[in-house]
Each structure stands twice: as structure tokens, then as C-alpha cells.
Amino acid sequence: MQGPIWRPKLVVSDVDGTLLDHRERVSPRMRAIIDDMARQGTAFTLATGRPARWLLPVLEQINVRPIVVCANGAVIYDSALDRVVHAESLSPEVQRDLVESLQAVDPEWGFAVERVGRSAFDRENELFCVTPNYDHAWISDEHTTVPREQLVSMPAVKLLVRDHRRSSAALYEAVAPYIDPALAHATFSWEGGLVEISAPGVSKRTALQRVAKSIEVRTEDIIVFGDMPNDLEMLRWAGTGVAMGNARDEVKAAADAVTATNDDDGVAEYLTRWFNSAETMREN
């Protein structure tokens, strides 16, 4: 007699370059699969470098309100309650030492900090602060420009180093030798010259371990999807780590499987073997 068919108990997706296409849209097929997962008892959540305040455009496209891993694992956010339930911060002292060391390497590097409040709707100009020479990676009207001394005066969940002249990989190689892993953890999630620094040991993996424990899901029953170096730890940790077709080579090498690109609906393509998007779409 054949036993029950295995299905994942938790599916985790990175957001940019993974769940979203280049237009920042979730496909109808993927939305239907998320609905079918909910009906069959499989939890779905997001693990992203984004702060909680940038999640609403994503959550508005799906029918679940999960506990989300934000800021590369530094923040766990309950989107149903609009409440930050856990945060790991860099101390002002560590931020100050990092900025001083890195500023000595290249005075043109700009810096920013991401802080966290209690809600995704806290005042964003108090949560995202930048130095005067910070070259924004995207158009922003939700920041405050402050002197360097003020930038590092409060705990922050992320310290950002920006250099538009280099790729993020090249900037990471320049920054990494000056970061003591006992004091901070560095990674990147975008190609255009941005390194993200968090508290030591913090990653999407460490936050997902908390989430999985809270809902009593075993590691072997978890599938995760990602495309960038900030996804590496969770891809290696999960029972099944799946890299996108558009992922960096080192991410593909670390994964158990490679699916189609984000523009070719790679997350939905991989999950179709367990979840019936066509049937759900017909019912809706």
C-alpha cells in the first residue's frame, strides 16, 4: 500500500528577483498556487532584504498575511498583526567603528542605516537615515540626511555601504576584510554597488529557524527559493534549496535544484508538482 505523498510544510520565497518579476508583480499562476498551499495546509512566507515598510505592495498581491523575515533576517514581522515581533540590531559603537574604518578605506563611500519600529507604518524618515554623500540606489523621498555622527547614534538593523562606481560583488570584496564576523555580518542582495551589514550571525536562515520552530515545521519539510548571496545561508539550511534561473552562479552552486527565472515564473514552475494552480484558478 502506497504511503501519503510528501508535500512541503513550509515554502519560503525571496522577493526581488525571485517571487516578483521585473515589473514587481506576482503572477496569477503563483497567486493561485499560494491559495492552494493554504487550502492544503502548507505555510507560505517571504524572506527578504526589504524592510517591513516595503512589503505592502507585495502583500497586496497575495491572499495570505504571513510572518515575514525582513532586513536579511534582522527583523521578523507579523504582517497579519502589523507588528515587529523580533529584531537584531547593530549597536551604535559597532556602527561607529565600522563607518570610521570603512571611511578611511574610501572617503567617497556613502552610508545609510535602516532602523526598525513596531509597525510597517512607522514614520519612514525616522527609520532610514543617510549621510550627505550617500548616492541613493533608488529614488527615495522617505529618508533623513544626517551627519555621520548622528547616523550611528542609535541601534540599527542594517548599515548600508554604497559605491555606485562598483558592482556589489566588487564592493563586498573591498569591504569584507574590514568586518570582524564576531561583530557584524555582511552580504549583498542587489548588483549595483550596495553592501548590507547586520548584527553578527544574522541571516535569513537564523530568522527562518525561529519561524519554523514557532510553527513546528522540520527543516526537511521546508523549501526555499532565492537568487542572491543574501539567500545562501537559507538555501543551504533548508530541506530543499532552489535557486532561480537568474540567480548568481554561486547561489546556483549552493542550491539543491535550479528552476526557471523570475520572469518565467520559476517559483510557481517548481511548486506545480505539489500544488494545482490551474484547478485553483478555475475555482476562482
Side-chain angles (χ1 to χ4, degrees):
M1 182 175 178
Q2 189 175 15
I5 298 173
W6 180 87
R7 282 192 180 89
K9 300 292 191 300
L10 173 63
V11 173
V12 183
S13 179
D14 171 51
V15 174
D16 298 287
T18 302
L19 180 70
L20 302 183
D21 64 19
H22 73 279
R23 301 171 303 150
E24 300 196 0
R25 301 300 300 169
V26 179
S27 74
R29 181 186 184 191
M30 187 64 215
R31 289 198 297 271
I33 283 178
I34 293 170
D35 290 345
D36 195 32
M37 281 193 283
R39 294 194 322 174
Q40 297 197 45
T42 293
F44 174 76
T45 195
L46 308 172
T48 178
R50 293 187 182 209
R53 56 195 168 81
W54 285 6
L55 286 175
L56 188 59
V58 183
L59 294 171
E60 286 178 332
Q61 299 182 60
I62 60 180
N63 292 327
V64 295
R65 293 295 178 267
I67 295 175
V68 181
V69 170
C70 304
N72 291 332
V75 174
I76 300 176
Y77 170 68
D78 188 329
S79 65
L81 299 177
D82 181 36
R83 185 178 69 188
V84 171
V85 297
H86 182 79
E88 301 274 357
S89 296
L90 287 163
S91 70
E93 294 76 19
V94 169
Q95 294 176 65
R96 182 185 62 245
D97 291 348
L98 284 169
V99 170
E100 288 179 355
S101 297
L102 296 173
Q103 192 81 75
V105 178
D106 191 332
E108 293 193 35
W109 286 347
F111 299 91
V113 293
E114 184 72 52
R115 299 178 181 136
V116 67
R118 297 178 180 177
S119 161
F121 299 95
D122 287 341
R123 295 177 60 177
E124 61 261 1
N125 63 342
E126 296 177 357
L127 301 180
F128 188 51
C129 299
V130 305
T131 55
N133 67 330
Y134 185 81
D135 178 40
H136 287 276
W138 44 84
I139 296 173
S140 171
D141 59 2
E142 55 177 38
H143 65 276
T144 300
T145 302
V146 298
R148 189 180 72 186
E149 295 75 18
Q150 186 177 343
L151 183 83
V152 298
S153 64
M154 297 174 61
V157 292
K158 278 205 292 187
L159 172 67
L160 306 178
V161 187
R162 174 78 171 122
D163 184 351
H164 71 276
R165 303 164 300 175
R166 311 182 192 219
S167 69
S168 294
L171 181 58
Y172 176 84
E173 292 299 320
V175 166
Y178 300 92
I179 298 178
D180 182 349
L183 298 177
H185 173 73
T187 188
F188 63 94
S189 60
W190 178 69
E191 299 285 4
L194 189 69
V195 169
E196 303 157 60
I197 303 173
S198 302
V202 167
S203 69
K204 292 182 180 181
R205 174 187 62 82
T206 58
L208 284 171
Q209 286 176 314
R210 287 178 174 270
V211 173
K213 184 177 181 180
S214 72
I215 60 175
E216 300 182 335
V217 173
R218 301 177 303 171
T219 306
E220 55 264 39
D221 291 327
I222 300 172
I223 297 179
V224 303
F225 295 86
D227 70 316
M228 291 294 284
N230 64 326
D231 300 319
L232 282 169
E233 288 92 340
M234 71 171 183
L235 287 167
R236 292 171 175 145
W237 162 77
T240 306
V242 183
M244 304 302 293
N246 51 288
R248 291 178 60 89
D249 288 343
E250 64 267 36
V251 177
K252 291 179 180 177
D256 300 300
V258 178
T259 187
T261 69
N262 62 320
D263 278 338
D264 290 326
D265 223 1
V267 177
E269 181 69 27
Y270 192 86
L271 292 173
T272 298
R273 66 195 70 187
W274 297 288
F275 304 104
N276 191 336
S277 61
E279 182 64 29
T280 303
M281 290 174 75
R282 280 197 296 269
E283 291 180 3
N284 291 340

